[in-house]
Amino acid sequence: MPSSPQHPAPAPRDLSGPDTDDLALYREKFQRRLPESLDVLRGPTQGVVKLPLHIAWSGMTSYDISNPRRRMGLYRTVLHEGLHDDLPHYLDQDLLLEMWPVLRILVGRTVRTVWEDAFPQLASRTRAAA
């Protein structure tokens, strides 16, 4: 609908103050959870993985990682909800690198940015896949 006196165009959103603070805290939450290196990610590469409730609190807790869709769901859930000590236990470096070009689209922008900023090899995998 075009802008008119009855329907003015929305004002640009001001991203200062509380909104900026909230975004910074959200980003910091994921930065604190990052592993020191992708080399420490030595989680399972086959079989069924059962996630604890503090990670899979809102849905599925068991994932057969031989199924590509289930594996993608597992990684998405762990990236969003896993704590620092969970990441090496449930994620595998090689699988993460292999899946990243698609997985990065499925995770939130903040998660994607934090991981790609910390681990440039993830961003380079995306450029290589393009």
Side-chain angles (χ1 to χ4, degrees), residues 1-11:
M1 172 180 286
S3 179
S4 70
Q6 290 119 349
H7 302 284

Side-chain angles (χ1 to χ4, degrees), residues 27 30-31 34 109-118:
R27 183 178 173 91
F30 290 109
Q31 287 171 328
L34 288 172
R109 182 184 345 202
T110 302
V111 172
R112 177 176 55 245
T113 302
V114 165
W115 278 78
E116 288 182 349
D117 286 352

